[in-house]
Amino acid sequence: MSGLRVRPAAAAALAVAAALLALMMAPGPAAAAWKLTKKGTVVSYDRRSVMVDGRRELFFSGSIHYPRSPPDMWPDLLAKAKEGGLNVVESYVFWNIHEPEKGVYDFEGRYDMVKFFKLIQEHDMYAVVRIGPFVQAEWNHGGLPYWLREVPDIVFRTNNEPFKQHMEKFVKLIVNKLKDANLFASQGGPIVLAQIENEYQHLEAAFKEEGTKYINWAARMALSTNTGVPWIMCKQTKAPGEVIPTCNGRNCGDTWPGPINKTQPLLWTENWTAQYRVFGDPPSQRSAEDIAFAVARFFSVGGTMTNYYMYHGGTNFGRTAAAFVMPKYYDEAPLDEFGLYKEPKWGHLRDLHQALKLCKKALLWGKASTQPLGKQFEARVFEIPEQNVCVAFLSNHNTKDDATLTFRGQPYFVARHSISILADCKTVVFSTQHVNSQHNQRTFHFADQTTKNNVWEMFDEEKIPKYKQAKIRRRNAGELYNLTKDKTDYLWYTSSFKLEADDMPLRRDIRPVLEVNSHGHSSVAFVNKAFIGCGHGTKMNKAFILQKPMDLKQGVNHVAVLATTMGMMDSGAYLEHREAGIDRVQIQGLNAGTLDLTNNGWGHIVGLVGEQKEIYTEKGMGSVTWKPAVNDKPLTWYKRHFDMPSGDDPLVLDLTPMGKGMMFVNGQGIGRYWISYKHALGRPSQQLYHVPRSFLREKDNVLVIFEEEGGRPDAIMILTVKRDNICTFISEKNPAHIRSWQRKDSQITAKGGGDLKPRATLSCPPKKVIQQVVFASYGNPEGICGNYTVGSCHTPRAKEVAEKACLGQRTCTLPVSADAYGGDLNCPGTTATLAVQAKCSKRTLRASWSSWLMNWPETSMAGNR
Ligand SMILES: *[C@@H]1O[C@H](CO)[C@@H](O)[C@H](O)[C@H]1NC(C)=O
Ligand SMILES: *[C@@H]1O[C@H](CO)[C@@H](O)[C@H](O)[C@H]1NC(C)=O
Ligand SMILES: *[C@@H]1O[C@H](CO)[C@@H](O)[C@H](O)[C@H]1NC(C)=O
Ligand SMILES: *[C@@H]1O[C@H](CO)[C@@H](O)[C@H](O)[C@H]1NC(C)=O
């Protein structure tokens, strides 16, 4: 609430009283928003933090979007998020999946929003609901349903009555659904904050006063829903009145001074854990160290809530991705696309959360001060001197050089571009640059059940249509979305024209050229049923020109172009006017020059024959005749059957031998694939596609693929995914080498007591134990997890010691000191480092020969993709 200042003592009681008082004084509809229900909690805030029932809190939040993972993965994802130190999970709400047709609603399965928020509560975490309902999110149309485009006179996201009417109806529907399930904190539920609109600031600039009117209306409308929790707007410097503006970005600690309104806290709604990827992008990474630096920085300047965008990205199934966005979403997040721990990112952030929690009292109630320690160095301190409570963040902003900083008379080594957290202003409990947590490696494996019976059948989409067969006819080519209505990616355009003998090119060796201009996103062209070629735009330049030579004949010729969208755009003003499909068409190189077909009369056919018959479903499959598969044919449906691999490792399709298209398993859309589009480094952006186990049954699953350009289905592989290779790589000189600390009467001590010697911990995924120590060296080993090599120095007993401590254990701890591994290193000038790689597997009755043999046929694929 406004202006609330709470002292550490008696915080709770005072804050509730103050919140109620403020509530009584607050004017207008907002007052009702703060009504305290019987079992509900009051969420309030001031500059320092958000408070729950008057208790200040640090919020470590992560984005997990419910429709991007099947419900059977939710409990595991939430448990791992909690284990990673999160106390908040945040999700958008996606209008276009919940209301695919006006007035027709869907909240089932992956779209069961209420179930997801209830599960968050069952995991004893808070939640943030970002209703939008424009969400962007690299989601088809930014979450807005297609049918909204057909509402007369509509302009999206500005002061437009039709848009506001529909937006209000949907926001209220969602709020009521959440209220009916008692999900707001005010009702005893987990939701502590709700978001309206999304990154509106730059649109406000585009729409000027109409934009300002709209965003003020949106704020009032949101407040009037009486959720009892505060509303936020991200990337909206001038959020109206009581709505709290929050920061999205990579480095909110340095780029954002916080809300202008000094009674509101610094909240970070999107801390990007990587960069989302589109087809055509090379791989991207954001290191664990860099993320930890940014988060530590944010808390050091007074931030009290961060949100990892994404903590788990998941998969854009079916046709849910925005234009050019790949199915795999933020695979680089702390939990990867399959929900497996991505180490060391997951573990390093867990350690950071633990360190910050240790300093909670100082951070939330201490007096903040800043002490410059040199040109690019500073100390940020929070202190309650009378209680001996203190935390210091020592930061080195120099990205090239390490430094030794003197703070309160003591020297501290602070690596380049890093922050050290001193939990009592003395003891370094965390360094953003020194990773203590383990590493791991992702590997892909064959499974018997999917390698055998690799038999494919096909259905030829072949019926290249002619103008005469098309019922929708216009003078020129129609806009794609207007015709497909977002029910399919595909639209055929056809036109026929007659050539006389003297139209034909004079010289035989000159072939005429077909030129098709497109708004986007890709197309395949045929002339007289012959495949001419494909073309496509890019995420940055969606429009493109397809230009291919062809053969024409005297008499009637037929042009057919299959235009494809890669999803609807998800950002910017006037989203309702974005176009796709073809536009101008010409034939060049005829005797008389160029023939312009733009106004020649065009026929349109929406969707594919296979889509109309739903041949990707078991029901529809029988309505066509399948033949033995032939490779390298454009516009072909392929199918095969397979049994589910045993175990519970996730599954992927390796589609490397294919071109472009979409895939289904047991009738469910897995997503669009695009192998033929290579990024700057010459490789496809995504070769492996997630197939959730919950889409499968034990026996006889059906995989159906529609290939647009031509591919070799018999070379497709169905693999399992593991992160069972775990590693540690810790140097003796790591200044923050203890992972677990505790605070007792303002004293910071290592958990479990004892010495402060560095230790390394290895830990297998749930239900697995260390079955083999693959590599161990104490000395100066090199390499990355999965491929360590011994350096010039090496103690003799490293492997033996590691085996003794770790084999058969889920977790083991190893000392990081020479004497534990058989004596002196005797290598002057090297920093002694422990490197261990171990292999986890399901616990068997001893690591017997039979289990070895069972594991043997699994060939490890190209490693760490
Ligand atoms: C500042 O924030 C408080 C709390 O959100 C709100 O009640 C107040 O109206 C805001 N002041 C202005 C000038 O917007
Ligand atoms: C969080 O912020 C830090 C600092 O900006 C940045 O380095 C890090 O990448 C961000 N993480 C995410 C998930 O945005
Ligand atoms: C799409 O259809 C709407 C009417 O439903 C029309 O107003 C609009 O001009 C069409 N857009 C294009 C590009 O054809
Ligand atoms: C393993 O590392 C060595 C050098 O450290 C390198 O030459 C080799 O290519 C790596 N192997 C793999 C499979 O990455």
Side-chain angles (χ1 to χ4, degrees):
M1 291 307 299
S2 49
L4 189 55
R5 299 253 170 232
V6 184
R7 307 207 131 243
L14 246 181
V16 175
L20 287 172
L21 189 69
L23 145 79
M24 285 183 272
M25 299 186 316
W34 299 91
K35 216 184 305 172
L36 186 62
T37 65
K38 227 188 265 171
K39 54 188 175 119
T41 46
V42 173
V43 181
S44 59
Y45 56 86
D46 62 8
R47 184 59 160 189
R48 200 61 177 267
S49 77
V50 169
M51 289 167 266
V52 180
D53 273 347
R55 248 184 317 110
R56 291 191 180 286
E57 193 54 88
L58 296 175
F59 295 95
F60 304 104
S61 172
S63 290
I64 300 175
H65 296 156
Y66 53 91
R68 284 177 158 137
S69 300
D72 76 319
M73 282 176 68
W74 296 346
D76 182 57
L77 295 171
L78 295 174
K80 286 170 170 170
K82 185 164 180 169
E83 189 193 357
L86 300 194
N87 57 354
V88 188
V89 168
E90 184 236 64
S91 180
Y92 283 125
V93 173
F94 301 83
W95 189 354
N96 53 7
I97 56 170
H98 293 311
E99 195 178 356
E101 303 289 339
K102 193 167 156 188
V104 178
Y105 298 100
D106 184 356
F107 290 91
E108 300 292 315
R110 261 194 338 267
Y111 305 161
D112 195 341
M113 167 190 82
V114 164
K115 180 174 177 183
F116 183 73
F117 282 104
K118 279 190 171 158
L119 266 178
I120 296 175
Q121 180 163 30
E122 280 167 30
H123 285 79
D124 214 8
M125 292 192 278
Y126 297 118
V128 174
V129 60
R130 304 174 77 188
I131 297 178
F134 170 80
V135 296
Q136 189 155 339
E138 292 70 67
W139 190 260
N140 191 37
H141 217 203
L144 300 177
Y146 168 80
W147 56 261
L148 211 52
R149 286 165 85 113
E150 297 193 344
V151 171
D153 302 320
I154 201 158
V155 186
F156 292 175
R157 303 177 68 203
T158 185
N159 190 31
N160 169 276
E161 285 310 319
F163 183 77
K164 291 194 304 188
Q165 231 171 57
H166 286 287
M167 169 167 162
E168 176 164 0
K169 189 163 172 227
F170 180 72
V171 169
K172 290 192 165 160
L173 176 103
I174 292 298
V175 166
N176 287 335
K177 247 184 141 44
L178 296 171
K179 275 188 188 172
D180 289 348
N182 292 320
L183 285 166
F184 288 102
S186 53
Q187 306 172 289
I191 299 172
V192 287
L193 296 170
Q195 178 180 315
I196 191 77
E197 252 295 340
N198 191 46
E199 299 196 352
Y200 191 69
Q201 196 154 298
H202 61 286
L203 256 75
E204 186 171 358
F207 286 117
K208 310 229 165 57
E209 306 92 80
E210 290 299 286
T212 307
K213 278 185 199 157
Y214 163 71
I215 202 67
N216 288 335
W217 165 84
R220 279 196 309 277
M221 186 270 286
L223 292 167
S224 78
T225 59
N226 295 336
T227 59
V229 303
W231 285 86
I232 58 173
M233 280 185 185
C234 62
K235 268 200 172 174
Q236 180 68 24
T237 307
K238 286 192 225 149
E242 277 174 66
V243 175
I244 309 170
T246 63
C247 179
N248 288 1
R250 293 177 84 84
N251 294 296
C252 290
D254 286 313
T255 56
W256 184 58
I260 301 167
N261 185 333
K262 296 288 187 250
T263 67
Q264 297 179 330
L266 279 68
L267 311 177
W268 188 353
T269 31
E270 289 191 20
N271 188 359
W272 301 324
T273 46
Q275 179 67 44
Y276 75 85
R277 310 263 317 281
V278 301
F279 285 112
D281 280 348
S284 83
Q285 260 287 16
R286 185 174 187 186
S287 71
E289 292 91 330
D290 185 50
I291 299 172
F293 177 84
V295 173
R297 180 69 182 156
F298 189 64
F299 281 82
S300 80
V301 301
T304 46
M305 174 178 194
T306 191
N307 177 64
Y308 299 102
Y309 193 98
M310 302 289 295
Y311 197 74
H312 168 255
T315 310
N316 295 310
F317 295 110
R319 302 175 53 256
T320 59
F324 286 87
V325 173
M326 303 187 297
K328 77 171 171 189
Y329 190 61
Y330 279 90
D331 183 35
E332 302 294 336
L335 298 175
D336 72 9
E337 181 182 12
F338 313 103
L340 305 175
Y341 303 101
K342 180 171 171 55
E343 298 282 32
K345 206 174 256 186
W346 180 85
H348 194 46
L349 296 175
R350 170 204 56 200
D351 295 349
L352 168 64
H353 303 146
Q354 209 168 66
L356 289 169
K357 270 180 214 166
L358 204 60
C359 310
K360 183 166 153 178
K361 198 167 178 186
L363 282 171
L364 289 173
W365 289 281
K367 185 173 172 330
S369 62
T370 306
Q371 184 186 338
L373 299 175
K375 194 156 164 254
Q376 291 177 294
F377 317 122
E378 69 178 12
R380 295 249 172 187
V381 179
F382 296 81
E383 192 165 20
I384 314 173
E386 61 273 22
Q387 294 183 34
N388 212 7
V389 168
C390 187
V391 57
F393 296 81
L394 303 189
S395 59
N396 177 354
H397 293 271
N398 188 319
T399 52
K400 295 209 182 70
D401 298 317
D402 302 339
T404 298
L405 307 181
T406 303
F407 175 70
R408 300 197 173 172
Q410 295 296 318
Y412 294 90
F413 173 83
V414 184
R416 72 194 89 121
H417 183 61
S418 86
I419 293 178
S420 289
I421 302 176
L422 283 53
D424 48 4
C425 285
K426 290 195 289 281
T427 316
V428 178
V429 296
F430 186 82
S431 151
T432 60
Q433 197 62 24
H434 287 93
V435 173
N436 268 339
S437 75
Q438 70 183 7
H439 299 241
N440 64 18
Q441 182 197 30
R442 189 159 70 184
T443 52
F444 299 89
H445 305 260
F446 291 116
D448 267 0
Q449 293 88 343
T450 59
T451 45
K452 68 182 181 203
N453 300 327
N454 184 20
V455 180
W456 290 83
E457 294 175 296
M458 70 175 194
F459 165 70
D460 201 337
E461 179 70 27
E462 94 196 356
K463 299 263 164 18
I464 312 292
K466 290 182 185 163
Y467 177 77
K468 278 189 300 196
Q469 293 151 348
K471 294 208 181 70
I472 309 166
R473 295 180 190 177
R474 300 198 180 151
R475 208 158 79 97
N476 38 20
E479 195 278 322
L480 182 141
Y481 298 126
N482 263 11
L483 290 161
T484 61
K485 303 190 184 299
D486 197 30
K487 293 284 184 292
T488 164
D489 285 350
Y490 299 99
L491 179 64
W492 278 107
Y493 295 93
T494 69
S495 197
S496 303
F497 56 97
K498 198 171 174 192
L499 294 179
E500 307 295 343
D502 56 3
D503 291 327
M504 303 305 284
L506 283 182
R507 283 172 48 190
R508 289 245 164 131
D509 59 334
I510 295 183
R511 294 175 77 204
V513 168
L514 174 70
E515 182 188 292
V516 183
N517 291 258
S518 286
H519 299 293
H521 300 153
S522 76
S523 61
V524 193
F526 298 82
V527 172
N528 298 331
K529 293 198 173 177
F531 172 74
I532 300 299
C534 336
H536 68 85
T538 66
K539 164 87 182 174
M540 298 310 289
N541 288 305
K542 283 161 203 77
F544 67 98
I545 299 172
L546 180 149
Q547 251 180 331
K548 301 279 177 189
M550 66 190 155
D551 293 316
L552 293 174
K553 60 182 190 213
Q554 202 176 320
V556 179
N557 291 273
H558 306 281
V559 178
V561 179
L562 181 66
T564 306
T565 169
M566 288 302 292
M568 298 178 80
M569 289 288 294
D570 69 335
S571 67
Y574 303 109
L575 214 49
E576 66 280 9
H577 291 311
R578 302 309 167 82
E579 299 182 352
I582 73 169
D583 179 20
R584 281 181 303 113
V585 181
Q586 293 184 335
I587 309 275
Q588 296 155 347
L590 295 175
N591 189 23
T594 297
L595 174 64
D596 192 334
L597 293 180
T598 308
N599 300 317
N600 189 55
W602 285 86
H604 306 78
I605 295 173
V606 175
L608 306 167
V609 174
E611 287 181 306
Q612 279 144 18
K613 302 194 172 187
E614 300 191 346
I615 66 170
Y616 49 86
T617 65
E618 280 151 281
K619 218 168 130 218
M621 212 162 270
S623 63
V624 298
T625 309
W626 295 82
K627 296 183 291 191
V630 173
N631 282 346
D632 300 314
K633 277 179 60 68
L635 303 199
T636 306
W637 294 84
Y638 291 106
K639 83 171 162 78
R640 74 161 280 196
H641 296 251
F642 66 96
D643 293 343
M644 178 153 67
S646 51
D648 44 22
D649 295 321
L651 261 62
V652 290
L653 290 179
D654 184 340
L655 292 179
T656 309
M658 302 302 282
K660 178 181 185 301
M662 57 184 179
M663 60 246 154
F664 305 84
V665 169
N666 295 339
Q668 301 220 49
I670 299 294
R672 306 178 177 106
Y673 67 90
W674 200 348
I675 308 295
S676 60
Y677 183 3
K678 307 283 195 285
H679 60 61
L681 306 175
R683 292 172 62 93
S685 300
Q686 180 173 357
Q687 286 160 281
L688 301 169
Y689 294 83
H690 182 203
V691 182
R693 272 195 186 257
S694 62
F695 288 12
L696 302 180
R697 52 188 172 239
E698 220 37 58
K699 299 273 173 206
D700 202 32
N701 300 285
V702 199
L703 166 62
V704 175
I705 293 182
F706 177 66
E707 168 60 44
E708 298 167 21
E709 303 173 350
R712 290 176 294 111
D714 55 351
I716 290 172
M717 292 180 286
I718 307 174
L719 306 170
T720 61
V721 188
K722 294 178 197 289
R723 281 185 182 272
D724 284 352
N725 292 339
I726 57 172
C727 298
T728 187
F729 193 88
I730 294 191
S731 132
E732 204 174 39
K733 290 248 174 74
N734 187 341
H737 45 61
I738 308 282
R739 223 187 73 195
S740 292
W741 296 88
Q742 60 193 1
R743 178 189 289 278
K744 260 197 196 141
D745 307 328
S746 79
Q747 291 302 307
I748 299 293
T749 54
K751 232 180 209 163
D755 56 49
L756 289 186
K757 286 205 181 123
R759 296 203 197 297
T761 303
L762 284 167
S763 213
C764 285
K767 295 184 205 152
K768 291 184 179 175
V769 295
I770 293 173
Q771 186 213 33
Q772 189 194 0
V773 174
V774 178
F775 177 94
S777 170
Y778 189 83
N780 56 356
E782 290 172 355
I784 56 164
C785 183
N787 189 20
Y788 290 131
T789 50
V790 176
S792 55
C793 283
H794 178 64
T795 58
R797 291 186 51 231
K799 194 160 178 199
E800 194 188 318
V801 174
E803 282 175 347
K804 196 157 169 229
C806 298
L807 284 184
Q809 309 293 321
R810 182 177 171 208
T811 296
C812 62
T813 301
L814 294 166
V816 185
S817 62
D819 51 359
Y821 298 99
D824 223 2
L825 254 187
N826 196 20
C827 286
T830 58
T831 304
T833 297
L834 174 70
V836 178
Q837 183 191 330
K839 184 172 160 55
C840 304
S841 69
K842 277 257 166 77
R843 189 191 293 275
T844 51
L845 296 172
R846 304 178 137 265
S848 66
W849 277 109
S850 64
S851 78
W852 262 103
L853 289 174
M854 273 165 51
N855 277 321
W856 230 192
E858 290 177 341
T859 312
S860 179
M861 305 292 298
N864 210 354
R865 282 198 260 174

